[in-house]
């Protein structure tokens, strides 16, 4: 059985496969032998017969040819391999030789470069030495030249000094000191000789070689004679240069003036002498029209005073005169600034130190022109001047100072900014302060006088008004506005070193021994104290007696009738409809709405007014603190400074005092309110309300007693007023205290009466209204107290035999506490527990 053709071809292909490893590892001959062997094997295993033999022969021939070709190729490859190896070896030897030669050249170059670097280093060192030597030589040559020149100058100075020492007068001096063409050289020499002479004489004095010879004539040839002749010649030279300067000034010859200024600059204060000479000839100081400003201002004020009639007309005339003075001052300052700008151009061309000369000019302007103008515009107020006059003077002072500082700032810029006025000259801002010094010294007392006078006038007007000294936020805001205006002036007019102290006095200037109504805290404290006191007094007057609803409504009707007379009769009829009992009593058929209306009116006139004052007081303290932080604190210096600490301490003391006053006012308000409520209970509550007679008709248990209704309406209106004016913890504290005092009042009120069972039911009905009122107070202790009272009222209602079970079982209270209620029973003395022979209630509950 023969194999399938597919399997035979698969095995032949498997044998003919040669791996990559065979190709790389076997030689060419071995590879050919293997391929040939595989081919022969595959051809031999194909099949039998003649066909197989023929194929075998053809394959053998092909293989033989192939082997022969491969052998020739192998031989040629071997030859080529040998040639390549020979050439590669030759190239390797050549490359090695060239590399060795290159490395040798590199080593030689490195050695040469090291030698060159050493040579450069040595050369640099030699050059440095040569440079240093040349520098030393140059310095020595320069010093030698300097010494030579100094020696020549010294020799020349000594010669000149000898000439001065032996000269009898300036005419004996050398030609140098007489030649007008060499004035600059003569001035320079004279200045040097004066300096040398002064130094020599000072040295002799320090060495103790000088002999004291008062009024002695200097000997010719001595140092003193030389100094004397130098001073004489300097005076002669000054006169010559000044005469030349005056002539040039008359011709307006700026180059000649500049030459004279350069000559005089050789002497100390020489240039200043010419600058003063130049300034004194300016029209600003010589023209009579320019000097008439003060006289014009005086004439204007005299004319205004003569034309004024009454007080208002005098104030208007004063204001008009001040306005005219300000306009004249502005015009004068504009003229001064324009003139100085023109003069600065001339001074810069003439004087070697133009800033110094211009500074002298400006100082002279401030001392004469500005000082005179400021004195004319700022007149001191009369000793008895009113606040209106003081206010006008303060505003005038602020405007004059602001304009003067503006002129100083413009002139400072003209001089070249800070320090441009020249060495030794005062700052222009200091000059502005100097010309206003007298007015600035009197500023703060005048400011406090104005604030105090204005406050006292407004306070007197408020006290004379119908409302009296009522607490007013508008009045406090007016005080703050006045203080803010004063603070802005204080910041402008106070020197930096005194600003914090002055600002502190505007805020707090009072002491323990003397009050100052000009400072803000004194004004606010006085206003708050008087306002709170007025509110407390008004509250006390309103709460002085029992609550009388009819009287309150009648007063309202009378007030409305006075306001609208035509409706008086109609209003009286309405009041008669609302009020069904005689005046002074809460009983009758008055409606609950009328009672509530009367309570609201009474509370608004008493508690409401006081609580409104308390609320206003808190708002006042808040706005004063904001004013302190916003207006005053930025000018009080560092937060830890003495003035800032003083203001903070005074403000804290004010707030503390206000809190104490408010607390006292609220305590008195509560005392007065509870007192009125208790007086109302005493007046309105009748004994038959809780212990009606047998013949009397049974009372209604659907409505509270008239006394309870009146007191609940009164206290409810007070609670409404408190909620309207107070907030937060203040409201909670007030309501809690009101609840505590109301509970004590009801305890005391209950002890005034004896209760029958029906009357106890009425009392329990009243307690329900009282509990509803206390519930509005949001006070847990007061609500619990009313609940206990309502529960204990049962001891006034139940039968005597049920009392012990009620006290020990339901209420669980001590017998002595229960006895305080039981003793109020109508049958307390007659009732027996356990029949007629039983124990009395006092005996039963007299011990635990």
């Amino acid at each position: 059985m023969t194999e399938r053709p597919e399997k035979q071809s698969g095995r032949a292909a498997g044998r003919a496969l040669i791996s990559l490893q065979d190709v790389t590892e076997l030689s060419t001959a071995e590879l050919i032998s293997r391929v040939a062997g595989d081919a022969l094997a595959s051809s031999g295993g194909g099949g039998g017969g003649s066909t197989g033999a023929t194929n075998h022969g053809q394959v053998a021939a092909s293989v033989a040819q192939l082997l022969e070709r491969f052998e020739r190729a192998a031989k040629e490859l071997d030859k080529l391999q040998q040639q390549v190896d020979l050439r590669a070896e030759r190239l390797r030897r050549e490359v090695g030789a060239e590399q060795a030669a290159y490395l040798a050249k590199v080593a030689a170059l490195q050695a040469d470069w090291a030698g060159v670097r050493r040579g450069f280093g040595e050369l640099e060192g030699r050059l440095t030495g040569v440079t240093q030597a040349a520098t030393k030589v140059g310095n020595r040559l320069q010093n030698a030249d300097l010494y030579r020149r100094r020696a020549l100058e010294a020799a020349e100075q000594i010669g000149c000094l000898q000439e001065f020492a032996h000269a009898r007068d300036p005419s004996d001096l050398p030609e140098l000191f007489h030649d007008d063409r060499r004035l600059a050289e003569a001035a320079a020499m004279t200045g040097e000789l004066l300096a040398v002479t002064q130094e020599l004489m000072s040295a002799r004095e320090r060495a103790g070689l000088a002999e004291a010879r008062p009024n002695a004539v200097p000997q010719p040839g001595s140092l003193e004679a030389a100094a004397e002749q130098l001073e004489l010649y300097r005076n002669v030279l000054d006169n010559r240069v000044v005469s030349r300067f005056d002539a040039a000034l008359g011709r307006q010859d700026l180059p000649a003036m500049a030459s004279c200024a350069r000559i005089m600059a050789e002497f100390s204060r020489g240039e200043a002498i010419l600058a003063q000479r130049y300034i004194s000839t300016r029209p600003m100081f010589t023209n009579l029209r320019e000097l008439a400003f003060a006289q014009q201002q005086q004439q204007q004020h005299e004319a205004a005073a003569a034309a004024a009639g009454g007080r208002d007309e005098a104030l208007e005339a004063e204001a008009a005169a001040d306005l005219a003075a300000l306009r004249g001052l502005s015009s004068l300052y504009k003229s001064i600034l324009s003139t100085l700008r023109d003069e600065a151009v001339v001074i810069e061309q003439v004087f070697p130190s133009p800033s110094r000369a211009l500074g002298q000019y400006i100082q002279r302007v401030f001392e004469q022109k500005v000082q005179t103008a400021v004195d004319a515009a700022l007149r001191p107020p009369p000793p008895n001047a009113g606040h209106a006059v003081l206010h006008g003077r303060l505003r005038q002072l602020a405007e004059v100072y602001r304009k003067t500082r503006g002129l100083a700032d413009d002139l400072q810029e003209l001089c070249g900014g800070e320090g441009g006025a020249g060495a030794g000259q005062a700052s222009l801002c200091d000059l502005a302060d100097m010309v206003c010094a007298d007015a600035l010294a009197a500023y703060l007392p005048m400011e406090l006088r104005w604030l105090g006078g204005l406050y006292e006038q407004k306070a007197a007007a408020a006290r004379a008004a119908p409302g009296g000294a009522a607490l007013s936020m508008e009045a406090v805001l007016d005080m703050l506005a006045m203080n803010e205006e004063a603070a802005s002036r204080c910041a402008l007019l106070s020197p930096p070193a005194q600003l914090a102290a002055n600002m502190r006095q505007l805020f707090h200037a009072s002491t323990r021994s003397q009050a100052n109504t000009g400072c803000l805290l004194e004004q606010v404290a006085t206003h708050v104290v008087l306002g709170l006191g007025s509110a407390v007094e008004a509250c006390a007057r309103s709460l002085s007696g029992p609550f009388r609803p009819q009287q309150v409504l009648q007063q309202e009707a009378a007030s409305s009738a006075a306001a609208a007379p035509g409706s008086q009769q109609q209003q009286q009829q309405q009041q008669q409809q609302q009020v069904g009992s005689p005046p002074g009593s809460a009983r009758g058929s008055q409606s609950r709405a009328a009672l509530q209306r009367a309570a609201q009116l009474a509370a608004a006139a008493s508690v409401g007014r006081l609580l409104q004052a308390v609320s206003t007081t808190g708002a006042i303290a808040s706005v004063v603190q904001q004013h302190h932080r916003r207006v005053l604190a930025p000018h009080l210096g560092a937060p830890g400074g003495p003035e800032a600490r003083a203001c903070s301490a005074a403000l804290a003391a004010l707030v503390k005092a206000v809190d104490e006053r408010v607390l006292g006012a609220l305590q008195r308000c509560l005392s007065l309110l509870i007192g009125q409520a208790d007086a109302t209970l005493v007046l309105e509550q009748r004994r038959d309300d809780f212990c009606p007679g047998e013949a009397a008709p049974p009372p209604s248990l659907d409505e509270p007693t008239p006394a309870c209704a009146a007191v609940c309406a009164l206290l409810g209106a007070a609670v409404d007023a408190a909620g309207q004016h107070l907030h937060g913890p203040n409201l909670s504290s007030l309501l809690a205290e009101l609840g505590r005092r109301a509970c004590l009042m009801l305890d005391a009120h209950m002890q005034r009466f004896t209760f029958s069972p029906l009357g106890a039911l009425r009392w329990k009905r009243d307690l329900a209204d009282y509990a509803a009122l206390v519930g509005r107070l949001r006070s847990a202790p007061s609500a619990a107290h009313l609940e206990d009272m309502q529960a204990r009222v049962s001891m006034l209602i139940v039968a005597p035999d049920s009392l012990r079970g009620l006290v020990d079982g339901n209420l669980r209270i001590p017998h002595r506490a229960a006895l305080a209620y039981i003793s109020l029973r109508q049958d307390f003395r007659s009732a027996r527990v356990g029949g007629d022979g039983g124990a009395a209630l006092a005996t039963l509950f007299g011990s635990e």
Side-chain angles (χ1 to χ4, degrees), residues 760-828:
L761 290 175
R762 293 204 75 187
W763 173 240
K764 190 171 185 178
R765 174 66 182 81
D766 286 354
L767 286 178
D769 280 17
Y770 292 137
L773 172 66
V774 170
R776 295 181 57 192
L777 305 181
R778 295 188 295 275
S779 174
S782 301
H785 188 89
L786 263 296
E787 289 179 2
D788 291 341
M789 290 184 69
Q790 287 177 294
R792 295 180 183 184
V793 170
S794 301
M795 290 184 290
L796 304 175
I797 301 174
V798 300
D801 294 336
S802 303
L803 280 174
R804 190 174 187 102
L806 177 64
V807 172
D808 297 337
N810 295 338
L811 299 179
R812 295 182 180 180
I813 58 175
H815 285 187
R816 292 189 181 277
L819 186 61
Y821 276 77
I822 294 173
S823 63
L824 302 178
R825 292 173 61 97
Q826 183 182 15
D827 57 355
F828 174 71

Side-chain angles (χ1 to χ4, degrees), residues 264-309:
M264 292 297 288
E266 298 293 339
F267 303 120
S268 60
R269 292 191 53 81
E271 184 181 359
I273 294 174
L274 290 187
Q276 202 67 27
R277 191 87 175 179
Y278 174 79
I279 294 169
S280 62
T281 62
R282 298 298 87 200
M284 183 181 295
F285 305 107
T286 59
N287 193 338
L288 295 178
R289 294 182 59 187
E290 294 285 344
L291 299 174
F293 179 81
Q295 185 178 0
Q296 295 173 1
Q297 296 298 319
Q298 183 66 26
Q299 292 176 356
Q300 289 178 359
H301 285 293
E302 291 177 357

Side-chain angles (χ1 to χ4, degrees), residues 488-835:
S488 64
R489 272 196 300 268
C490 183
L492 173 67
L493 301 176
S494 298
Q498 300 177 6
L499 176 58
N502 292 349
M503 199 68 69
R504 190 262 305 161
Q505 291 195 53
L506 292 180
F507 186 68
H508 169 56
S510 297
T511 60
R512 292 183 179 272
S513 59
Q514 183 177 4
N516 191 331
T517 56
C519 69
L520 178 64
L521 289 189
E522 183 67 29
Q523 296 175 0
V524 172
T526 303
H527 183 72
V528 169
V529 169
L530 294 179
L532 274 178
S534 175
V536 170
E537 291 175 2
C539 181
R541 288 194 300 269
S542 299
L543 299 178
S544 58
F547 173 47
R548 304 178 185 275
Q550 292 81 8
Q551 183 177 354
V552 173
L553 293 174
Q554 289 173 359
Q555 290 176 354
E556 183 196 18
S559 300
S560 302
S567 59
Q568 181 176 2
Q569 183 177 1
Q570 181 180 0
Q571 290 172 352
Q572 290 179 354
Q573 294 176 358
Q574 292 177 356
Q575 293 298 328
Q576 291 176 1
Q577 294 176 1
Q578 291 180 353
V579 181
S581 60
S585 173
R587 293 182 172 272
S589 59
Q590 62 184 18
S591 66
R592 181 176 293 271
L595 186 62
Q596 294 292 338
R597 174 64 179 167
Q600 290 176 359
L601 293 174
S606 57
V607 178
R609 181 175 179 181
L610 179 58
L611 293 180
Q612 183 179 6
V614 169
S615 177
T616 305
T617 300
I620 289 173
S622 177
V623 298
V624 170
Q625 290 173 329
Q626 293 175 5
H627 176 82
H628 172 263
R629 289 192 301 270
R630 179 178 59 87
V631 177
L632 301 171
H635 304 290
L636 292 175
E643 307 300 341
R645 284 189 281 108
C647 289
S648 299
L651 183 59
L654 173 67
V655 173
K656 181 180 178 181
V658 167
D659 290 342
E660 292 175 354
R661 293 271 182 173
V662 166
L663 180 60
L666 291 177
Q667 294 287 350
R668 188 175 180 189
C669 172
L670 289 177
S671 299
L672 292 171
L673 179 62
I674 294 299
Q676 185 182 45
D678 189 57
T680 304
L681 289 175
V682 171
L683 176 67
E684 299 293 341
Q685 199 81 69
R686 298 180 179 178
R687 294 190 177 277
D688 56 3
D689 287 341
F690 303 128
C691 190
E694 295 180 358
S700 173
L701 299 180
D702 296 331
E703 296 290 336
T705 61
C708 174
V711 169
C712 288
L714 176 65
L715 296 183
V719 172
D720 293 337
Q724 181 181 358
H725 297 290
L726 300 181
H727 307 280
N730 294 332
L731 177 61
S732 301
S733 300
L734 178 70
L735 295 182
E737 181 65 16
L738 177 61
R740 185 185 70 82
R741 296 192 182 200
C743 292
L744 295 177
M745 178 191 69
L746 292 177
D747 287 338
H749 178 64
M750 186 181 67
Q751 297 297 325
R752 299 188 183 111
F753 299 96
T754 300
F755 296 87
S756 66
L758 184 59
L761 290 175
R762 293 204 75 187
W763 173 240
K764 190 171 185 178
R765 174 66 182 81
D766 286 354
L767 286 178
D769 280 17
Y770 292 137
L773 172 66
V774 170
R776 295 181 57 192
L777 305 181
R778 295 188 295 275
S779 174
S782 301
H785 188 89
L786 263 296
E787 289 179 2
D788 291 341
M789 290 184 69
Q790 287 177 294
R792 295 180 183 184
V793 170
S794 301
M795 290 184 290
L796 304 175
I797 301 174
V798 300
D801 294 336
S802 303
L803 280 174
R804 190 174 187 102
L806 177 64
V807 172
D808 297 337
N810 295 338
L811 299 179
R812 295 182 180 180
I813 58 175
H815 285 187
R816 292 189 181 277
L819 186 61
Y821 276 77
I822 294 173
S823 63
L824 302 178
R825 292 173 61 97
Q826 183 182 15
D827 57 355
F828 174 71
R829 299 186 181 278
S830 61
R832 296 289 185 271
V833 176

Side-chain angles (χ1 to χ4, degrees), residues 374-548:
V374 168
D375 292 342
L378 296 179
R379 295 173 296 111
N384 58 348
H387 66 86
V389 175
L390 293 175
H391 193 203
R393 292 291 190 272
L394 287 169
R395 290 188 297 181
Q396 182 81 352
L397 173 59
E399 286 299 321
V400 169
Y401 182 75
R402 185 180 291 109
K403 292 179 181 297
T404 306
R405 282 298 297 267
L407 174 64
D409 293 339
D410 292 338
L411 294 178
Q412 189 76 57
E413 183 179 358
L414 181 63
C415 290
E418 294 295 334
Q425 299 294 329
S427 170
L428 297 187
C429 294
D430 295 338
L431 289 177
D433 293 341
M434 180 186 68
V435 298
C436 300
D438 294 339
L440 293 179
Y443 155 69
L444 188 61
M446 183 164 55
E447 189 78 75
L448 292 174
R449 281 176 58 195
W450 169 65
L451 290 171
L454 184 59
Y455 166 74
E456 290 173 359
Q457 182 194 23
K458 293 186 176 181
R463 287 192 296 270
L471 203 60
S472 170
M473 177 60 74
E474 290 75 11
V476 174
L477 293 177
D478 194 13
M479 297 176 198
L480 296 180
M482 292 158 44
N483 187 263
E484 185 172 359
E485 179 186 348
S488 64
R489 272 196 300 268
C490 183
L492 173 67
L493 301 176
S494 298
Q498 300 177 6
L499 176 58
N502 292 349
M503 199 68 69
R504 190 262 305 161
Q505 291 195 53
L506 292 180
F507 186 68
H508 169 56
S510 297
T511 60
R512 292 183 179 272
S513 59
Q514 183 177 4
N516 191 331
T517 56
C519 69
L520 178 64
L521 289 189
E522 183 67 29
Q523 296 175 0
V524 172
T526 303
H527 183 72
V528 169
V529 169
L530 294 179
L532 274 178
S534 175
V536 170
E537 291 175 2
C539 181
R541 288 194 300 269
S542 299
L543 299 178
S544 58
F547 173 47
R548 304 178 185 275

